[in-house]
């Protein structure tokens, strides 16, 4: 049984995309990430031989609980990745991985996303027989991002008035770009949209202007290079480009700001990259007079 689906909602869907990338790239499994709310309609009608991995920090979101019930009724094997032992998902799944980040009180998921990424990396590396110490290097790099907090705050001060932002990602940093845009919306109330970097050329570039910062995430200088044309356009239309990654190589000249993530490159760099995104959204939120932990229109668990 080598085919599967990975499902989740919001931040947990972004973790699903990351795991999809790793499993397809590093292992013999062929997986497709689908929003949990779409699973019932998108599941293959004629094949029963697949598995589901479901990401949910709470283990209680109605979309994923319903999707697991549909899967179970069809005889599909289910594996839950959750931060909440004893949750509904742990009870109805065939197997589960509990991430143990501790209770997350803030509405916007942050530390539980970090461990969702770590679980993805561990799972994919285990299945691929790859033991490289990347996760340890990623954790150290994330700590360095946190120690450079004053620089992140200064950057947030420059863009405190921005009403719109774009967030671009390449390779394993694509889900990070989507997550960064979600954090900017939830915590800082900035209208932000995330794309795979070159998708920006297929329409969104029409909205590039001086008032709209563009965050760009990549796991290596090589990956940034693949987005060079997008960065050229961004610079041409004078949108401030913030490059976040382990080295920028030949695209460095297009950046208004560079945030260098040191000590880790490749897939594991997603962890320090998202740490920057979370911290940036946090400071923007506070500087805009908001409470980053309590977005006014959201609930921690979507049970309806
Ligand atoms: C994250 O910041 C959000 N509040 C939201 O997208 C959340 O990730 C989503 O509702 C899924 O929740 P779950 O992981 O508990 O299932």
């Amino acid at each position: 049984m080598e085919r599967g689906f990975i499902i989740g909602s919001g931040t947990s869907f972004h973790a699903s995309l990351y795991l999809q990338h790793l499993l397809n790239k590093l292992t013999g499994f062929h997986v497709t990430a689908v929003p949990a709310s779409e699973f019932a309609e998108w599941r293959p009608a004629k094949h029963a031989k697949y598995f589901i991995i479901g990401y949910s920090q709470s283990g209680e979101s109605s979309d994923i609980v319903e999707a697991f019930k549909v899967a179970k009724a069809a005889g599909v094997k289910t594996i839950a990745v959750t931060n909440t032992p004893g949750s509904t998902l742990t009870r109805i799944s065939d197997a589960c991985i509990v991430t143990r980040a501790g209770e997350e009180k803030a509405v916007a998921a942050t530390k539980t996303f970090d461990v969702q990424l770590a679980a993805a990396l561990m799972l994919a590396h285990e299945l691929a027989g790859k033991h490289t110490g990347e996760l340890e290097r990623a954790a150290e790099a994330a700590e360095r991002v946190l120690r450079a907090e004053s620089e992140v705050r200064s950057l947030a001060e420059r863009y405190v008035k921005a009403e719109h932002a774009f967030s671009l990602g390449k390779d394993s940093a694509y889900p990070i770009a989507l997550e960064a845009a979600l954090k900017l919306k939830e915590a800082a109330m900035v209208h932000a949209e995330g794309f795979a970097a070159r998708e920006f050329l297929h329409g969104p570039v029409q909205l590039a202007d001086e008032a709209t910062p563009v965050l760009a995430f990549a796991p290596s200088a090589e990956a940034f290079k693949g987005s060079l044309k997008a960065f050229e356009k961004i610079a041409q239309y004078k949108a401030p480009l913030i490059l976040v990654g382990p080295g920028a190589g030949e695209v460095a000249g297009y950046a208004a700001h560079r945030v260098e993530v040191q000590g880790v490159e490749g897939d594991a760099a997603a962890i320090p990259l998202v740490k920057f995104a979370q911290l940036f959204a946090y400071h923007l939120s506070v500087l805009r007079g908001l409470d980053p932990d309590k977005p006014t229109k959201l609930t921690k668990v979507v049970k309806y």
Side-chain angles (χ1 to χ4, degrees), residues 17-186:
L17 288 171
Y18 181 68
L19 180 60
Q20 167 184 251
H21 177 83
L22 295 178
L23 291 182
N24 287 342
K25 179 169 135 183
L26 300 175
T27 76
F29 292 97
H30 176 66
V31 290
T32 306
V34 177
S37 56
E38 291 291 323
F39 176 72
E41 288 77 28
W42 289 22
R43 75 200 160 99
K46 294 187 180 153
H47 301 279
K49 290 210 160 200
Y50 59 90
F51 60 87
I52 293 188
I53 301 176
Y55 267 110
S56 173
Q57 85 75 27
S58 63
E60 299 292 349
S61 297
S62 56
D63 287 314
I64 197 160
V65 169
E66 288 312 309
F68 263 45
K69 285 181 183 165
V70 167
K72 279 190 85 70
V76 174
K77 289 282 176 221
T78 54
I79 303 159
V81 186
T82 179
N83 196 51
T84 313
S87 57
T88 303
L89 218 55
T90 62
R91 290 196 303 276
I92 64 174
S93 57
D94 294 303
C96 63
I97 297 171
V98 178
T99 48
R100 298 179 200 281
E103 186 192 354
E104 185 169 63
K105 294 189 179 135
V107 169
T110 52
K111 68 175 180 179
T112 55
F113 184 63
D114 305 346
V115 292
Q116 288 179 334
L117 298 182
L121 207 60
M122 289 167 77
L123 185 61
H125 282 188
E126 193 58 41
L127 291 169
K130 193 170 181 254
H131 301 288
T132 61
E134 272 178 68
L135 187 56
E136 289 75 8
R137 286 198 291 283
E140 286 160 15
E143 284 211 39
R144 279 193 288 278
V145 171
L146 291 174
R147 282 202 294 272
E149 182 167 5
S150 59
E151 289 159 43
V152 182
R153 186 183 158 95
S154 305
L155 199 57
E157 279 166 358
R158 291 182 83 111
Y159 296 105
V160 69
K161 295 223 162 73
E163 287 180 20
H164 309 280
F166 289 109
S167 173
L168 311 184
K170 177 77 181 155
D171 198 329
S172 54
Y174 167 52
I176 303 308
L178 301 186
E179 178 60 11
L182 183 61
K183 289 285 103 62
L184 287 171
K185 284 183 279 242
E186 291 183 302

Side-chain angles (χ1 to χ4, degrees), residues 6 144 171 174 189 199-200 203 229 238:
I6 312 176
R144 279 193 288 278
D171 198 329
Y174 167 52
M189 288 191 72
E199 283 296 298
F200 194 67
K229 285 286 167 199
K238 300 193 168 30

